[in-house]
Structures are given as C-alpha cells and as structure tokens.
Amino acid sequence: MDVQEILYAVEWFFIAYLAVYSTFLFASIVSGSLALYEMHQRKWYKVDDLGPIDIPVSVLVPAHNEELSILKTVESLVALEYATYEIIVVDDGSSDQTAAKLIKEYGLEITRMQMQETLPCQPIRFVYTGTVRGVEVTLIMKENGGKADSLNAGINVSRYPYFLCMDADSVLQTDSLTEIVKPVMAHENVVACGGLIRIINGALMRDGKIVEYRIPYHLLVGTQMLEYDRSFLGSRLFLNRFNGNLIISGAFGLFQKKAVLQVGGYATDSLGEDMELVMKLHSYFRQNKKPYTIEYVPQAVCWTQVPTTVKDIFGQRRRWHIGLIQCLNKYWKMWMSFDYGVLGWFSYPYYLFYEYLAPIIEVAGVFVTLFTLVLNVINMTYMVWFFLIYFFFGIFMSISAFLARVYSQNVYVSRRDIVRVCVMAVVEVFFTRFIVLAARISALFRFRKKKFEWGSIARMQTPGKEE
C-alpha cells in the first residue's frame, strides 16, 4: 500500500467518523424531541398517581470565593416549594466574604455538630446554623480541599437519605427539587437523577421564578446556550432511554446517600468529580449485579452562569476535558464489555471517540484532508461540499434542539429571537467550536504533563442583566 492509498483510507475514515457523529446527533435530537413531547403531554411520569412528595433532601452547595452570587443562590433555595429539606453551604476555605455574608444576612449562629458519616475531607473549622423562613440552613467553614472534598464534608453533616448537589453560582426554580425527586417516587432503585441546566445570562429571576427571559445578546453566551440545548435535550435524553448516561452535571444532581457512601463518596483527585461519581455508581451496581437506574429529568431546571470571555471558556472546557480523560482512563474496563451492557458498547465508545479523542481525530483529519488535496488524491469539489453539508447540518440540529426546548417549556420567543438564534448557530459552528477544540488540545498536553487545576471564571452579581 503506497502513501496515496494510506491517505485515501485515512480520509475515508474521517468522513465516516463525521457521518457517524451526524447520525447520532440526528437520532438523539429526534429521540429527545419525542421524549419532550411525551413529557409535555404529561405522559412521562404519572404525576397524579405519585401522591405527596415526602422524601427529605439535603441540598449541598460547595462554595469557594462566591461572595457575589451566594446570597442569590441561597435565596432561591429558601423559596423552593418542597416539604422537607435542609440547606448546607460548604465554604471551602474562601478568602473573600462568602461566609461573612451568609452569617450576617441570615443571623447564623456558631454551633457544635457531630458528623453523621465518615467520608474523608479537610478539617472543619466552624459550623453555623440557623432557620430561614422555616428552612434549616447550615454553614460549614472548612480548610480548602476542592469541590469534591467539600461535597464529602456536606454529606458527612447531612441528615437526610438523599442529597442534591449544586454550584454556588446557580439558582433553582421553585419546583426544581420537586421535579427532580419524581423519578425516585415513580420508579424503584433510582440512585441518581440529573436535571436540565439552563443559562441565566439574559434571564431575570425573582422569588424562584423566571419573570423575564430573552435570548442572550452576547454571542458567546448564546452559542453556549445552543450547545447546552443540544447536549441536555438531545444526547442525554437519548441515552436516558437505555440507562446509559455517564454524566450528571455537578451543577444539579440528586443522589441516594446510601449508594454514594457505598462507593466511597466523591473522588478528590479528579477534575471531573461529577462524571467520576456517576461512572463509579454504574461500575459498582453492574459488578455487584444489583438493579439500579440513573435518570435524567429535563423538567427539573437549574439556572447557571456561563463564561462570557474566550479566556474563561477556554479554561473551563480545558478543565472539563481533563476531568473526562481522567474518568475514561480510570474506568477503561467498561470498553466494549457486555457486563456493562449499553454502557460498554455504546456510551463509553461514544465518549471515547467523540469527546476524549475528538481533538486528535479532528486535527489529524484536517491535515490529512489538506495533504490529500495537495497530492490531488481526493476530489476537492466533493470535499468542500461534504464539509459545507456537515457544518450546515450541525447548524440545523442546534436550531432544532433549541426549538424543541422552547416548545416543551412554553417559552415565548419573537421572530427577532429566532433570527438571532440562527446567527448564533453559525457563530458556534465557525468560531466557538474552534475555541473548544483548542481547549481540548491544550487539555491533552496538560494531562500528559500532569498539570491539573480548577481555575475560575468571572462571576456577575446580577447575571440576568447583560451589559
């Protein structure tokens, strides 16, 4: 086989790679849209048959230097329409006024509290408690150990059989906790549930309800909105049909505390602690042949801030990709293993080829394509049309996922909003996607050099207001 034949074969592999991804994207969007229609028609969970929601939940909020957003987050939690729950804020060695603001605003008082569990975590310095509008609020001040360490500390202090983890820069709707608990009421053996993450930039929330919403004006924010819609309302709903989700976003997830304790809690040595815990739960229950399900609930909505600069997007996506690499490497035994069912022969390969190895394959594909064109091995006109069709198909899928979400959640959008979304879809394909690609390539180099750090992104005190 000569060089030209090798290049020709590689080029066809790249074409097949993109074709498979496009097929999966199309299938997931169609499947997700059908699932959203079922939910919209109230056929997903028989709400009337569930009875009163009476599962006590501990809401854990790890926080590090979150003075700008922590009060808004706690206010949204206090406003939840739920019978029995507690709020536990874990101040992870903040150097700002995160803890001081909570103590002053809610009149929290120092107390002595014994640990309920014994997951490893950094030493706890102080514990403050108080009651805010009938809801017990606990503030844990501990030495810095990272998000996973803070969640372990929160689990140790929590009193209830289920816990909800969320980010300190996120806010919940009044019905979010009720919605995410419904699968636990409807089905047996549910050990975890993930919710829908939506972008609060451009939205105004008051008393746990969205009172004003518009499509973000900021192009980078808008492109991330489309990406979130495509992920949370496409692939996750599709994989949910087969109990095949490997990720529950760390910004909003409900877990059975007993199950998490059985697997040893959150791993403190991973930048993807949320994905690591889900994969660990899958592995534990599969290996021990215990029945379980991990659900995804798009009706449970969490609103979060997203980066607004190229620098912050780059840093965030690099960290996400390093975390994904760590998790896939750690649980490599899932690969094509029939013991793991759909996880082994579908979910894991998907994340391996279309997430982990995607930057290598995509960059190599571009260089090989250019090389084959120089050598006149492949028809240039054909390749140009192929890539144009691929990119515009991606644009179409992004807009379709957005419209499916708009329909299912009864969101009003104007014609001007639709035009803006179309523009953002083009910007995402031809600009934001390359930022993410560069971040993933950087993550591969940092992973090899073992350079792992969380980093941070700029926060806004009023994220719903766009300047």
Side-chain angles (χ1 to χ4, degrees):
M1 182 178 290
D2 59 23
V3 174
Q4 288 189 352
E5 290 176 331
I6 294 174
L7 290 175
Y8 189 76
V10 172
E11 188 63 24
W12 275 106
F13 167 79
F14 184 58
I15 293 173
Y17 176 84
L18 295 180
V20 170
Y21 177 69
S22 298
T23 302
F24 171 76
L25 185 63
F26 176 77
S28 64
I29 294 298
V30 171
S31 175
S33 299
L34 292 175
L36 287 175
Y37 177 77
E38 293 175 6
M39 294 176 187
H40 187 65
Q41 298 297 318
R42 313 285 290 182
K43 296 177 182 178
W44 195 261
Y45 297 114
K46 296 180 179 179
V47 180
D48 295 336
D49 297 336
L50 294 181
I53 305 294
D54 58 357
I55 298 176
V57 177
S58 301
V59 181
L60 310 184
V61 187
H64 178 71
N65 292 341
E66 297 285 359
E67 64 179 3
L68 291 179
S69 58
I70 192 62
L71 292 182
K72 187 176 291 292
T73 298
V74 174
E75 278 298 311
S76 78
L77 296 178
V78 172
L80 292 175
E81 297 172 349
Y82 200 79
T84 306
Y85 68 103
E86 62 176 346
I87 302 170
I88 302 175
V89 179
V90 185
D91 186 332
D92 188 40
S94 296
S95 58
D96 65 359
Q97 297 297 306
T98 299
K101 281 195 169 186
L102 286 170
I103 294 170
K104 180 180 179 180
E105 178 71 18
Y106 300 117
L108 304 181
E109 297 181 352
I110 195 167
T111 186
R112 300 182 67 178
M113 179 175 291
Q114 293 183 345
M115 295 286 189
Q116 305 293 324
E117 310 296 344
T118 57
L119 294 177
C121 64
Q122 291 297 314
I124 293 176
R125 295 182 295 172
F126 304 103
V127 176
Y128 289 80
T129 60
T131 301
V132 182
R133 296 197 285 278
V135 180
E136 184 174 335
V137 177
T138 300
L139 169 64
I140 301 172
M141 298 180 64
K142 59 180 284 292
E143 295 182 10
N144 182 258
K147 182 179 179 181
D149 189 271
S150 298
L151 288 167
N152 285 341
I155 294 170
N156 286 339
V157 172
S158 65
R159 297 184 293 121
Y160 296 139
Y162 286 83
F163 70 87
L164 181 84
C165 64
M166 62 176 292
D167 288 342
D169 64 335
S170 301
V171 293
L172 300 184
Q173 297 180 174
T174 55
D175 63 345
S176 295
L177 187 51
T178 299
E179 292 295 336
I180 204 169
V181 167
K182 284 180 180 178
V184 179
M185 297 285 293
H187 307 304
E188 295 181 357
N189 306 315
V190 176
V191 298
C193 301
L196 171 65
I197 308 299
R198 291 190 62 189
I199 294 174
I200 198 170
N201 308 59
L204 180 61
M205 177 174 280
R206 186 178 297 120
D207 298 326
K209 292 182 173 63
I210 295 295
V211 296
E212 181 181 340
Y213 177 78
R214 66 166 181 263
I215 305 302
Y217 290 126
H218 197 296
L219 280 177
L220 287 179
V221 173
T223 59
Q224 291 174 86
M225 175 196 70
L226 293 178
E227 184 185 12
Y228 277 46
D229 284 347
R230 197 170 57 244
S231 174
F232 285 94
L233 295 176
S235 60
R236 298 201 187 190
L237 268 172
F238 179 75
L239 293 173
N240 187 60
R241 291 181 176 272
F242 314 103
N243 196 25
N245 271 310
L246 295 183
I247 298 178
I248 286 179
S249 174
F252 188 38
L254 179 77
F255 294 89
Q256 183 189 75
K257 185 163 73 170
K258 177 182 176 182
V260 173
L261 291 173
Q262 287 174 329
V263 300
Y266 285 89
T268 57
D269 59 351
S270 174
L271 292 185
E273 80 293 327
D274 46 2
M275 183 178 187
E276 197 280 337
L277 177 59
V278 174
M279 294 187 75
K280 186 159 52 179
L281 287 169
H282 277 300
S283 182
Y284 173 82
F285 283 95
R286 290 278 182 174
Q287 290 178 359
N288 289 279
K289 293 180 171 48
K290 294 183 177 181
Y292 79 102
T293 59
I294 293 177
E295 296 277 350
Y296 169 59
V297 192
Q299 293 157 314
V301 181
C302 172
W303 295 80
T304 190
Q305 296 185 44
V306 296
T308 57
T309 65
V310 171
K311 178 183 176 182
D312 284 344
I313 293 175
F314 186 92
Q316 181 193 65
R317 299 313 172 90
R318 180 174 61 193
R319 173 173 59 81
W320 285 3
H321 202 67
I322 291 174
L324 180 136
I325 293 171
Q326 290 174 322
C327 292
L328 293 183
N329 284 354
K330 185 174 182 179
Y331 295 96
W332 63 270
K333 290 185 178 180
M334 285 187 179
W335 164 254
M336 300 305 289
S337 170
F338 285 98
D339 291 337
Y340 287 92
V342 70
L343 297 170
W345 51 265
F346 189 88
S347 298
Y348 189 97
Y350 168 75
Y351 281 101
L352 177 65
F353 286 106
Y354 290 99
E355 297 289 346
Y356 186 159
L357 299 177
I360 298 174
I361 296 174
E362 290 176 16
V363 171
V366 170
F367 279 108
V368 170
T369 299
L370 294 175
F371 201 28
T372 55
L373 291 176
V374 170
L375 295 178
N376 199 28
V377 175
I378 200 165
N379 185 284
M380 183 174 180
T381 303
Y382 170 81
M383 287 306 301
V384 170
W385 275 107
F386 175 81
F387 281 112
L388 284 176
I389 292 172
Y390 173 75
F391 283 127
F392 280 103
F393 180 77
I395 292 171
F396 173 74
M397 286 293 96
S398 294
I399 296 172
S400 298
F402 167 79
L403 292 176
R405 191 259 295 172
V406 165
Y407 168 76
S408 66
Q409 297 180 328
N410 296 318
V411 177
Y412 171 77
V413 291
S414 64
R415 292 181 180 178
R416 181 178 298 178
D417 288 333
I418 299 296
V419 173
R420 193 182 305 139
V421 165
C422 293
V423 173
M424 289 174 176
V426 174
V427 173
E428 192 220 349
V429 167
F430 292 102
F431 180 68
T432 311
R433 181 171 296 182
F434 291 98
I435 298 174
V436 175
L437 176 60
R440 289 175 167 181
I441 293 171
S442 175
L444 293 172
F445 285 106
R446 281 184 170 258
F447 181 79
R448 284 181 59 85
K449 295 179 179 180
K450 300 186 184 301
K451 291 185 177 181
F452 311 143
E453 70 266 351
W454 260 81
S456 61
I457 64 173
R459 305 296 192 199
M460 293 180 289
Q461 191 166 7
T462 55
K465 182 180 180 181
E466 291 185 308
E467 303 297 340

